Every structure is written in structure tokens, then in C-alpha cells.
């Protein structure tokens, strides 16, 4: 019984070979030049205006989409919790189901909606409202991000909210807290771990996407994901591509570190409340 | 009165979000019946794309590749991942947490970084990019989902039942299949299904590791985005979506019936 550890060995070989070594390779390519010498030039390329612009736009759009997703998802999750639907797996299903249709096709369908003569503008002009030209702008990409990643915000928040027992909420009210105080001091802190995982699951893919910006930005808008993809697939400069990926990874790590820190603080506070 | 308005508003809000999530799917379904090849023009109702779909060798090939990679990668990931979970569960705290945090990397890291890192590895090892490399990549990003599903079940497991089986004379392998496996099976199954779904829906990692000879549905769609999607693709995705919908409804229905 004690020596079951060997069952993990095949996986450990796999893990080192296909997770650890590949990451080391990115670092290696990112820090060397085609000639073989160690250099920081690849990373310094991020300061080139076109790359810096792409990174900045990516950060901006992914930040906004994360906030929009949170604002849309939290009330929804709260409503769903209060509905007391018997099988929570049904709720989960409704929000996972869209993912069974190819996400590239679903994003493409947004072209139909947002085009200048698209569905949205036809509805607007039917009501004699001014039409919008959204397609091929950063706003279209932002809508695409919110659309694609909203379920990843809804599900973790909903899961953390259904776990909160009614007794805790009622206890807060019995002790004289009004609805607002109950929310701020009880419900929000207890659901915070769900919010954290939701934020990570929306922010990271939004920051690094290149397909959404390709489809809805009409190759007029470049995100950092597009820049990296082109370095590998078109320019074939793997050193530059790896260098820029390293910069991207730094931003991912920073965002995770910030959230992990918040998560810990909130957990402590949550512990005091119960 | 105030409560009914509140109730109504809440229902309206849910409906609005569902509309947001499902409208694009409805559009794709409508397009699959569109006589016109253009995405933005309605040319009348037709079923011809559903017929032509099955004669389109390229799309059928891509579908076959997608399904076989999803199935194989989910199966292999489930076997490696379940064995790994049992092994990791027996380890001391330090190696355990180290291994589990490395396991989480492909899940938390950006797809594009995982994809590039694997591509660099395959090229460095002189693997030809193709079916094999896509399969290896999919297994790699699927294993974390299996470990994530199986680990909690192992933690709930009562170790005494297994030891009781051994005391009663069962061989370890027999005791495992009779006592441990039934307990962790729901986790194993959901790990497999999760892996299958993730593999089916993946685009980024396949895009970088596939080379030129292989195409899955996702990469095929991506290459068609610029020159215009073939309407057969809408027909295929409608069929797949409806199939999953029916399957899930049946599973849910039989589950509910079983409860009663």
C-alpha cells in the first residue's frame, strides 16, 4: 500500500518532458540570438512602437472585458443562486453548452451581428436610431472576448455562491444587518475565491488571444497575441517570438500574484466573519 | 407588488444573458439552411448543405481527425492522469504540492505560450509536426483536467475499506478494482469527458503543433475565415450541436428518472 508512488512515475516523465522542458526552451530561445549568443535584444523588442502598442491594447481590452464579464456575471450568479434551482448541474450545463459549437464559428457569427449592414444595425435603423460602426474596431474585439469568456466568469462565481448556506445569510440578518451590509460583509467575501478564479480565467485568455482579434478586428487591429503568432507562423523568427512570449508570461505571472495575494487576505477576513 | 417587479426584472436579466450567449448559435443554424453561399444574404431555404457535407472529403477528414484525436488524447490522459493521481496522493506534502503546481501550469498558462513551447520542443527533438505531435500536445493539456477531477475523489476515499479487502485475502489489484475504482469512477469519467471536450474545442495548440499535413475542424475553419467559410461547415456544427443537446437531455432525463 505504501509504495503506490510508482504509479505517478510515467506521468512525472511526461510532465518533465512536455511541460518543464518546453518552458525552458522558450526561455532559451527568448534569451539567445539566431547566432547563438546570449542577448536581451528579443525582449527589448517589446519597446518597438508597434509591439508596445499591441501589448498596451491587449492589456487595456482584456482588463475592460474582465470588468465587463464580472459586472455581467456576478448579478446573474446571485439571481441563479437565489432561484434555488434543484440541480445545479443543469445551470452549469446551460452555460457550458454553447462551447460545443466551435468557438471560431461562434465568433464569426458576431461579424453577422456587428457588420455595418449587420443584424444590430438593421434593428437600430428599424427603430430610427443612429447606426454603429463597430466591426474591425477594438470594441468589436472586446465584445468577442466578453462573449467567448463570460461562461468562465459565471461558473466559478455561481459555484462559490451556491456553497454559501442560507443559515449564514439569515444569521447576518438576525444580527441586524441590512441587505447591503449582508452582501458586503458576508456574501462577497465568501464568494471571493470564485471571483478570483473567474478573473484569471477571463483575463489570461483575453490577454493572449489572436483568433478573436483576427476575426473581429479584420487584421486592422493587432494584439500582442497576433504579433507573437506572426513571428512564429509568418516571419519565422522564433527568437523574437519567444522573447515577446516571455514578456507576456511576466504579465500573466504578475496578475496571478496580485490575485493570489488578494485571495489570501480575503480568506482571512472571511474566516473572521464565520 | 415590489417583489413581482423584482422577480420580473431578474427573469428578464437571465433571458438577456442567455440571448447574448445563444444568438450567435442561432445565426449559425439559420446560415446552415441558407441557399446563398454568402454569409450576409438570405437566398431561401435549402437542405443541400447537409447533403453536400457528407460528400465533402476535406471536411469529413477533418471531422475524423478531430474525433480520433479527442478520443485518443482523452483516453490516454485519463489512464496516465488517474495512475498519477493515485501515486501523487501517496506522496509526502512537499513533492505532492510541487508536482500539483507544475501540473496546473498548462491549465493556467496562456494557450499560445503552451503551444509555442511544445512546438519548440518538437522541432528541437526533430519530430515531424503532424498527427503524432498534435496527439501528444492534447494529452499534455488534458492530463491536468483528469488529475483535477480524480484527486478530490481520492481524498474522500476511506483507506480502511481497501485494507479490509486485503485482510480478507484479496490481491492488491483485485482489491483496487473491487473497492477503490468504483469509488473514484465518477471522477475518472468526468475527467475523461472534460478532456474530450477540451480537445474537441482546441484551436490554438493544434494550430501551432499540427504542421501542414493535418487539419482538425478548428484549424480548417480558421484557414477558411479569410476566403469565406463553406456553408457545409455550418451544417456540420449544427448537427454536432444538436447531437450533443439530445445526448445531454437524455442523460439528464434518465438521471432524474433514476432519482425518482
Amino acid at each position: 500500500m505504501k509504495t503506490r508512488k510508482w504509479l505517478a512515475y510515467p506521468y512525472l516523465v511526461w510532465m518533465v518532458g512536455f511541460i518543464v522542458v518546453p518552458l525552458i526552451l522558450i526561455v532559451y530561445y527568448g534569451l539567445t540570438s539566431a547566432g547563438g549568443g546570449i542577448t536581451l535584444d528579443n525582449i527589448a523588442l517589446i519597446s518597438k512602437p508597434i509591439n508596445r502598442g499591441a501589448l498596451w491594447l491587449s492589456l487595456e481590452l482584456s482588463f475592460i472585458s474582465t470588468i465587463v464579464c464580472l459586472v455581467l456575471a456576478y448579478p446573474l450568479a446571485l439571481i441563479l443562486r437565489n432561484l434555488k434551482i434543484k440541480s445545479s448541474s443543469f445551470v452549469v450545463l446551460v452555460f457550458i453548452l454553447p462551447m460545443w459549437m466551435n468557438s471560431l464559428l461562434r465568433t464569426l457569427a458576431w461579424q453577422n451581428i456587428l457588420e455595418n449592414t449587420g443584424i444590430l444595425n438593421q434593428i437600430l435603423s428599424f427603430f430610427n436610431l443612429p447606426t454603429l460602426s463597430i466591426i474591425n474596431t477594438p470594441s468589436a474585439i472586446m465584445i468577442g472576448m466578453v462573449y467567448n469568456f463570460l461562461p468562465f466568469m459565471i461558473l466559478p462565481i455561481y459555484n462559490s455562491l451556491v456553497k454559501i448556506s442560507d443559515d449564514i445569510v439569515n444569521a447576518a440578518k438576525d444580527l441586524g444587518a441590512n441587505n447591503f451590509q449582508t452582501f458586503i460583509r458576508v456574501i462577497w467575501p465568501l464568494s471571493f475565491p470564485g471571483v478570483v478564479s473567474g478573473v484569471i480565467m477571463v483575463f489570461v485568455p483575453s490577454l493572449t488571444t489572436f483568433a478573436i482579434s483576427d476575426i473581429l478586428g479584420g487584421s486592422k487591429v493587432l494584439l500582442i497575441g497576433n504579433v507573437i503568432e506572426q513571428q512564429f507562423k509568418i516571419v519565422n523568427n522564433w527568437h523574437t517570438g519567444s522573447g515577446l512570449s516571455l514578456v507576456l508570461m511576466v504579465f500573466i505571472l504578475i496578475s496571478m500574484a496580485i490575485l493570489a495575494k488578494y485571495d489570501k487576505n480575503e480568506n482571512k477576513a472571511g474566516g473572521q466573519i464565520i | 407588488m415590489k417583489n413581482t417587479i423584482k422577480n420580473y426584472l431578474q427573469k428578464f436579466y437571465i433571458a438577456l444573458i442567455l440571448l447574448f450567449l445563444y444568438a450567435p448559435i442561432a445565426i449559425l443554424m439559420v446560415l446552415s439552411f441558407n441557399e446563398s453561399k454568402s454569409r450576409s444574404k438570405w437566398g431561401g431555404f435549402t437542405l443541400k448543405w447537409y447533403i453536400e457535407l457528407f460528400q465533402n472529403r476535406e471536411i469529413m477528414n477533418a471531422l475524423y481527425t478531430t474525433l480520433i484525436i479527442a478520443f485518443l488524447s482523452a483516453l490516454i490522459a485519463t489512464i496516465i492522469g488517474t495512475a498519477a493521481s493515485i501515486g501523487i496522493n501517496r506522496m509526502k506534502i512537499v513533492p505532492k504540492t510541487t508536482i500539483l503546481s507544475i501540473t496546473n501550469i498548462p491549465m493556467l498558462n496562456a494557450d499560445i505560450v503552451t503551444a509555442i513551447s511544445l512546438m519548440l520542443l518538437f522541432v528541437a527533438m526533430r519530430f515531424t509536426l503532424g498527427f503524432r505531435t498534435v496527439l501528444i500536445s492534447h494529452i499534455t493539456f488534458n492530463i491536468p483536467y483528469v488529475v483535477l477531477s480524480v484527486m478530490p475523489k481520492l481524498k474522500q476515499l476511506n483507506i480502511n475499506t481497501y485494507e479490509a479487502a486485503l485482510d480478507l485475502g484479496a490481491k492488491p489489484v483485485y482489491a483496487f478494482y473491487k473497492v477503490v475504482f468504483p469509488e473514484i469512477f465518477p471522477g475518472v469519467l468526468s475527467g475523461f469527458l472534460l478532456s474530450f471536450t477540451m480537445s474537441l474545442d482546441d484551436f490554438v495548440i493544434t494550430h501551432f503543433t499540427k504542421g501542414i499535413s493535418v487539419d482538425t475542424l478548428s484549424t480548417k475553419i480558421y484557414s477558411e475565415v479569410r476566403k469565406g467559410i463553406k456553408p457545409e461547415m455550418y451544417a456540420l456544427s449544427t448537427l454536432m450541436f444538436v447531437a450533443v443537446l439530445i445526448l445531454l437531455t437524455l442523460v439528464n432525463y434518465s438521471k432524474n428518472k433514476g432519482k425518482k
Side-chain angles (χ1 to χ4, degrees):
Chain A
M1 190 65 215
K2 290 155 217 147
T3 51
R4 270 295 166 64
K5 284 184 205 157
W6 61 268
L7 278 168
Y9 295 163
Y11 169 62
L12 292 187
V13 174
W14 190 284
M15 184 181 88
V16 172
F18 295 111
I19 299 178
V20 180
V21 172
L23 284 176
I24 294 172
L25 277 176
I26 289 198
V27 178
Y28 170 76
Y29 270 89
L31 295 179
T32 53
S33 64
I38 291 178
T39 172
L40 286 174
D41 289 354
N42 301 314
I43 292 174
L45 276 174
I46 195 67
S47 61
K48 236 172 78 176
I50 183 164
N51 296 341
R52 201 177 53 203
L55 177 65
W56 183 244
L57 185 64
S58 297
L59 284 169
E60 205 178 307
L61 287 181
S62 48
F63 184 75
I64 299 171
S65 350
T66 309
I67 300 287
V68 173
C69 279
L70 181 60
V71 169
L72 288 177
Y74 203 96
L76 182 81
L78 211 53
I79 294 172
L80 289 172
R81 176 200 181 262
N82 293 338
L83 280 181
K84 301 269 176 292
I85 299 161
K86 267 195 206 106
S87 72
S88 61
S89 66
F90 175 74
V91 176
V92 173
L93 199 68
V94 167
F95 293 102
I96 284 187
L97 197 57
M99 286 181 226
W100 277 83
M101 204 159 214
N102 188 283
S103 63
L104 295 173
L105 279 182
R106 282 182 293 129
T107 310
L108 202 68
W110 276 97
Q111 277 189 4
N112 282 44
I113 300 175
L114 300 175
E115 268 164 350
N116 290 336
T117 55
I119 295 168
L120 182 68
N121 277 338
Q122 281 175 21
I123 295 172
L124 286 175
S125 55
F126 180 79
F127 290 108
N128 283 325
L129 292 165
T131 57
L132 306 164
S133 53
I134 303 178
I135 195 74
N136 298 347
T137 66
S139 314
I141 300 175
M142 200 270 293
I143 293 173
M145 287 172 176
V146 172
Y147 172 74
N148 267 289
F149 306 127
L150 183 62
F152 297 123
M153 184 68 91
I154 296 173
L155 293 176
I157 296 180
Y158 173 71
N159 280 335
S160 64
L161 282 175
V162 280
K163 275 190 209 133
I164 301 175
S165 139
D166 278 341
D167 297 341
I168 294 174
V169 179
N170 290 336
K173 290 193 176 155
D174 287 347
L175 292 169
N178 60 28
N179 281 338
F180 179 73
Q181 286 169 325
T182 315
F183 177 77
I184 290 292
R185 312 269 321 239
V186 178
I187 296 177
W188 173 257
L190 286 176
S191 67
F192 199 76
V195 173
V196 169
S197 45
V199 166
I200 290 179
M201 286 170 85
V202 174
F203 184 74
V204 173
S206 306
L207 181 66
T208 57
T209 182
F210 64 93
I212 297 174
S213 40
D214 245 7
I215 295 174
L216 295 174
S219 60
K220 281 176 193 149
V221 187
L222 276 187
L223 296 186
I224 189 70
N226 300 87
V227 174
I228 293 174
E229 197 251 357
Q230 285 172 5
Q231 288 298 332
F232 279 94
K233 283 280 181 172
I234 299 169
V235 187
N236 258 325
N237 189 338
W238 295 1
H239 295 277
T240 308
S242 302
L244 296 178
S245 306
L246 283 180
V247 177
L248 196 58
M249 271 161 78
V250 169
F251 278 93
I252 296 172
L253 286 176
I254 290 174
S255 61
M256 282 182 183
I258 293 172
L259 284 166
K261 192 166 177 281
Y262 270 107
D263 197 17
K264 253 184 213 149
N265 290 343
E266 286 289 332
N267 269 347
K268 266 183 218 150
Q272 280 165 2
I273 283 169
I274 299 176
Chain B
M1 185 62 199
K2 203 181 142 202
N3 264 335
T4 48
I5 292 177
K6 198 179 151 202
N7 236 329
Y8 180 77
L9 277 177
Q10 288 186 344
K11 295 264 160 68
F12 182 70
Y13 186 67
I14 296 177
L16 219 57
I17 298 276
L18 287 179
L19 178 74
F20 179 67
L21 288 176
Y22 281 87
I25 293 176
I27 290 172
L28 293 171
M29 286 181 168
V30 170
L31 283 176
S32 75
F33 298 110
N34 185 5
E35 173 86 46
S36 154
K37 265 199 164 183
S38 154
R39 212 165 33 76
S40 45
K41 209 169 68 204
W42 177 251
F45 181 88
T46 180
L47 286 173
K48 73 173 173 191
W49 306 121
Y50 284 87
I51 298 159
E52 282 181 25
L53 163 67
F54 292 99
Q55 288 149 6
N56 187 325
R57 171 128 344 133
E58 276 182 35
I59 293 184
M60 281 293 128
N61 269 342
L63 173 65
Y64 176 75
T65 313
T66 308
L67 290 177
I68 200 98
I69 285 187
F71 178 75
L72 283 179
S73 69
L75 185 71
I76 298 171
T78 307
I79 295 168
I80 299 178
T82 307
S85 307
I86 296 170
I88 294 168
N89 201 35
R90 291 266 150 272
M91 289 180 181
K92 293 208 180 72
I93 188 83
V94 174
K96 189 171 172 176
T97 44
T98 317
I99 293 169
L100 285 179
S101 21
I102 297 175
T103 302
N104 279 336
I105 292 177
M107 218 160 38
L108 296 174
N109 204 347
D111 276 356
I112 190 170
V113 176
T114 308
I116 289 167
S117 71
L118 283 165
M119 186 185 97
L120 291 175
L121 175 82
F122 294 139
V123 173
M125 308 262 295
R126 306 197 190 290
F127 280 19
T128 331
L129 295 182
F131 183 88
R132 209 171 36 146
T133 50
V134 175
L135 184 62
I136 293 175
S137 311
H138 281 225
I139 295 170
T140 305
F141 74 71
N142 278 340
I143 292 177
Y145 292 100
V146 177
V147 174
L148 194 77
S149 317
V150 176
M151 267 320 222
K153 295 280 165 203
L154 280 170
K155 279 192 190 129
Q156 287 165 15
L157 197 72
N158 185 350
I159 195 83
N160 294 333
T161 51
Y162 175 81
E163 279 171 358
L166 291 186
D167 287 347
L168 291 169
K171 294 248 163 58
V173 176
Y174 184 79
F176 174 79
Y177 273 103
K178 283 288 173 187
V179 179
V180 178
F181 195 68
E183 289 283 318
I184 63 170
F185 184 70
V188 176
L189 186 68
S190 70
F192 177 83
L193 291 177
L194 209 56
S195 300
F196 190 85
T197 315
M198 288 297 158
S199 167
L200 208 61
D201 201 44
D202 174 70
F203 159 67
V204 177
I205 289 167
T206 317
H207 179 65
F208 281 97
T209 53
K210 81 185 175 67
I212 36 168
S213 53
V214 184
D215 255 319
T216 63
L217 286 173
S218 297
T219 58
K220 186 116 195 61
I221 290 167
Y222 187 72
S223 65
E224 282 180 5
V225 163
R226 289 274 156 69
K227 40 184 179 162
I229 300 272
K230 294 201 182 70
E232 292 98 312
M233 213 46 122
Y234 302 131
L236 176 63
S237 51
T238 304
L239 285 180
M240 285 172 73
F241 185 77
V242 172
V244 172
L245 190 64
I246 293 172
L247 201 73
L248 289 176
T249 320
L250 285 178
V251 170
N252 242 26
Y253 179 75
S254 64
K255 237 193 223 163
N256 285 345
K257 221 177 155 190
K259 267 179 205 161
K260 278 167 198 167

